[in-house]
Amino acid sequence: MSEESAAEVVVYENGPLVLRGDVAIVGQDGAPVDARRRTVALCRCGRSAVKPFCDGSHKVVHFRAPGQGLR
């Protein structure tokens, strides 16, 4: 993460979105979601038991999606 940016999102192939830095996470109702840390992994597969956070379920369900350099 560059010193100029306040936050960074990394898209992992077949995995989660990893957020690093100062970012606010809110639910669709606008209520804040407590991330408890400055680096969090957000679920992309939809199977996590701790949504919106990743719990590794993508590996079990063989989730497939592109990572960096989306095409």
Side-chain angles (χ1 to χ4, degrees):
M1 181 166 49
S2 75
E3 291 180 29
E4 296 172 7
S5 65
E8 175 181 67
V9 177
V10 180
V11 181
Y12 282 91
E13 182 177 7
N14 306 326
L17 299 172
V18 175
L19 284 66
R20 293 183 180 96
D22 293 324
V23 62
I25 302 173
V26 296
Q28 67 181 9
D29 61 357
V33 175
D34 184 11
R36 299 185 185 186
R37 56 182 60 111
R38 288 177 45 90
T39 299
V40 296
L42 298 180
C43 176
R44 283 203 299 162
C45 76
R47 300 295 180 102
S48 174
V50 293
K51 290 182 196 101
F53 305 105
C54 176
D55 68 359
S57 292
H58 58 274
K59 295 174 189 172
V60 176
V61 300
H62 305 289
F63 175 73
R64 297 289 175 254
Q68 308 273 10
L70 301 174
R71 293 180 199 134

